[in-house]
């Protein structure tokens, strides 16, 4: 149910921003959107760690010491947002009656749901498990293929997948997806390293990443301003270079790497993500006709979320597989506990190094794809007139 809400609110926020602001200032508007999309999940580890490490009194409630406490903080905020939206929101687009295609709803839910379910099970069962990983993903892909075929034959599609026929939109959406993999994937792996290898608490591991999260908040609006001036290609090229620069050294982390060093590298990565994410999204929307904004936003968000989920699953599975392959035998635990602990720690490091190497490969692929982007700013084109209107 939470995911359904996010699936409505996130694309809606972008559609409203793209509608309210004209092409000349759209980059700055999307930069503010990027502040929310990028900064909120990045702050999550620090805030969650603060709640979990000790008890706190917030809004008359006692929070802390239990993961359920996190939702005690979220619920009042959700209620406040509901009240404010009821009072202050107004429609900015022309509304019309639309019939809900039940078949498309079921196909999209089952197809994407099974694909993501299979990817989520990878860290528990590995890629070779047929029942929980391979079978759900195969069925999911087949259902998605039928969903796409059905959409292409609908007069008013549930999700207009034909927007991906626009090469510039498809390329830029792929780059947005790679940006999210770079952000979400490492945000998941790095706190595990901080806690399991370095022995930091949830709060202190999150605090180590906080300066990087703040970089997204600072740079997203600035990146939007420069997008309005120069377009997305230069920003994306520089951004993915920074992501590479901040990711490659993670492959050499040790049990004694200073936390300041980790914080600095993470900040470098987040500089790249802050510069890259929303200019690419603005460029993707600019490649479409103005009447395709809503459908394009939905398609872009769908691709981004699927890629982030699959990318995170791949990074987690590579890490866990490498750890399992390098773990010492259980007999060593009895014969020499200290040697077992040392080798187990080294196995964990091998897993993290492999995961960060793969994240660097994703960033390198994105850096190469940037060279195929359109030069300069891409402005939305009006819907072409029909022959009758002409």
């Amino acid at each position: 149910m939470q995911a359904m809400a996010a699936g409505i609110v996130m694309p809606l926020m972008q559609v409203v921003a793209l509608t309210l602001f004209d092409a000349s200032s759209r980059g700055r508007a999307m930069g503010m959107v990027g502040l929310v999309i990028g900064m909120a999940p990045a702050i999550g580890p620090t805030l969650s760690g603060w709640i979990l490490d000790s008890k706190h009194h917030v809004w008359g409630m006692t929070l802390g010491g239990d993961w359920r406490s996190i939702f005690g903080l979220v619920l009042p905020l959700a209620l406040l947002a509901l009240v404010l939206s009821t009072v202050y929101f107004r429609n900015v687009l022309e509304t019309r009656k639309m019939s809900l295609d039940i078949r498309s709803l079921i196909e999209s839910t089952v197809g994407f749901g099974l694909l993501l379910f299979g990817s989520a099970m990878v860290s528990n069962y590995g890629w070779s498990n047929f029942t929980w990983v391979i079978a759900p993903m195969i069925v999911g892909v087949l259902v998605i293929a039928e969903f796409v075929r059905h959409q292409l034959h609908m007069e008013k599609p549930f999700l207009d997948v034909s927007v991906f026929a626009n090469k510039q939109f498809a390329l830029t959406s792929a780059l947005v997806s790679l940006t999210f993999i770079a952000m979400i994937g490492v945000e998941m792996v790095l706190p595990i390293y901080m806690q399991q290898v370095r022995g930091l608490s949830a709060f202190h591991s999150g605090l180590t990443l906080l300066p990087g999260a703040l970089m997204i908040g600072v740079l997203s609006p600035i990146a939007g301003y420069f997008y309005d001036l120069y377009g997305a290609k230069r920003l994306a090229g520089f951004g993915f270079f920074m992501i590479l620069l901040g990711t490659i050294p993670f492959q050499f982390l040790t049990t004694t790497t200073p936390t300041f060093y980790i914080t600095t590298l993470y900040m470098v990565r987040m500089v790249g993500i802050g510069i890259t994410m929303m200019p690419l999204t603005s460029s993707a929307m600019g490649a479409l006709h103005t009447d395709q904004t809503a459908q394009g936003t939905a398609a872009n968000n769908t691709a981004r979320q699927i890629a982030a989920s699959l990318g995170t699953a791949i990074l987690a599975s590579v890490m866990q597989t490498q750890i399992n392959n390098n773990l010492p035998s259980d007999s060593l635990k009895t014969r020499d506990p200290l040697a077992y602990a040392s080798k187990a720690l080294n196995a964990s490091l091998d897993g993290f190094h492999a995961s960060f190497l793969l994240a660097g490969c994703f960033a390198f692929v994105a850096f190469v794809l940037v060279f195929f982007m359109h030069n300069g700013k891409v402005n939305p084109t009006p819907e072409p007139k029909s022959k009758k209107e002409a």
Side-chain angles (χ1 to χ4, degrees):
M1 291 177 67
Q2 289 183 340
M4 288 170 63
I8 294 171
V9 174
M10 297 285 278
L12 178 64
M13 177 171 59
Q14 292 188 30
V15 171
V16 170
L18 291 169
T19 302
L20 290 178
F21 295 87
D22 58 28
S24 63
S25 58
R26 192 161 287 171
R28 277 165 283 185
M30 293 301 289
M32 298 304 294
V33 171
L35 189 155
V36 177
I37 294 177
M39 199 170 178
I43 288 177
T46 305
L47 181 60
S48 300
W50 176 77
I51 294 174
L52 293 175
D53 275 3
S54 57
K55 291 187 177 182
H56 311 276
H57 299 284
V58 180
W59 297 330
M61 298 182 297
T62 301
L63 302 177
D66 183 14
W67 62 267
R68 296 172 182 83
S69 299
I70 295 173
F71 300 100
L73 182 65
V74 172
L75 181 60
L77 293 174
L79 291 172
L80 178 63
L82 176 63
V83 172
L84 291 177
S85 64
T86 303
V87 175
Y88 291 106
F89 269 24
R90 60 184 178 85
N91 290 326
V92 297
L93 287 169
E94 180 183 350
T95 59
R96 62 186 185 275
K97 284 190 175 182
M98 297 287 291
S99 59
L100 178 64
D101 186 65
I102 301 300
R103 174 182 170 181
S104 296
L105 176 63
I106 294 174
E107 287 178 347
S108 63
T109 302
V110 173
F112 291 119
L114 286 175
L115 182 64
L116 294 180
F117 174 81
S119 67
M121 292 295 103
V122 169
S123 58
N124 292 332
Y125 298 100
W127 286 100
S128 61
N129 185 281
F130 181 81
T131 303
W132 295 102
V133 177
I134 298 176
M137 295 185 77
I138 290 177
V139 175
V141 169
L142 292 175
V143 175
I144 291 172
E146 170 56 26
F147 169 75
V148 171
R149 188 201 66 80
H150 180 52
Q151 300 309 297
L152 293 174
H153 289 83
M154 292 179 66
E155 182 179 351
K156 294 182 179 180
F158 181 81
L159 179 66
D160 189 2
V161 294
S162 67
V163 294
F164 289 106
N166 184 311
K167 294 181 180 180
Q168 190 65 27
F169 175 83
L171 172 62
T172 316
S173 295
L175 289 171
V176 172
S177 299
L178 288 169
T179 304
F180 254 66
I181 292 174
M183 182 177 72
I184 301 296
V186 174
E187 279 180 0
M188 186 254 330
V189 174
L190 199 54
I192 298 176
Y193 159 80
M194 300 293 290
Q195 294 176 49
Q196 292 187 358
V197 175
R198 300 300 306 279
L200 296 181
S201 66
F203 173 63
H204 285 95
S205 63
L207 196 63
T208 304
L209 308 184
L210 182 59
L214 297 177
M215 294 308 297
I216 289 187
V218 171
L219 289 174
S220 286
I222 297 174
Y225 172 78
F226 280 106
Y227 169 78
D228 287 332
L229 294 177
Y230 304 112
K233 185 172 182 178
R234 294 180 186 179
L235 290 169
F238 179 72
F240 281 116
F241 175 76
M242 295 296 288
I243 294 172
L244 264 175
L245 193 65
T247 302
I248 292 174
F250 278 146
Q251 299 167 50
F252 307 102
L253 293 179
T254 67
T255 57
T256 58
T257 302
T259 54
F260 177 78
Y261 179 70
I262 297 171
T263 299
T264 303
L265 288 178
Y266 190 71
M267 287 179 66
V268 172
R269 294 187 81 259
M270 296 309 255
V271 165
I273 291 170
I275 290 173
T276 303
M277 184 165 55
M278 295 322 294
L280 283 173
T281 303
S282 300
S283 182
M285 295 302 105
L288 301 175
H289 298 303
T290 51
D291 68 304
Q292 295 176 303
T293 297
Q295 287 287 356
T297 300
N300 182 273
N301 273 270
T302 300
R304 184 176 66 195
Q305 296 298 336
I306 295 295
S309 298
L310 291 177
T312 300
I314 292 172
L315 291 177
S317 66
V318 167
M319 177 183 69
Q320 194 60 51
T321 300
Q322 192 72 10
I323 291 174
N324 293 339
N325 291 341
N326 290 284
L327 276 175
S329 62
D330 289 338
S331 60
L332 183 63
K333 187 185 298 184
T334 304
R335 290 186 288 107
D336 193 342
L338 291 178
Y340 178 88
S342 176
K343 291 185 177 182
L345 191 60
N346 289 331
S348 297
L349 281 174
D350 290 339
F352 290 118
H353 293 162
S355 183
F356 290 131
L357 176 61
L358 183 58
C361 291
F362 282 132
F364 178 75
V365 169
F367 180 74
V368 172
L369 290 177
V370 167
F371 292 95
F372 296 92
M373 288 181 63
H374 183 279
N375 287 312
K377 186 178 178 181
V378 181
N379 289 320
T381 54
E383 181 183 4
K385 292 182 179 180
S386 64
K387 293 182 180 180
K388 183 177 179 180
E389 291 175 327

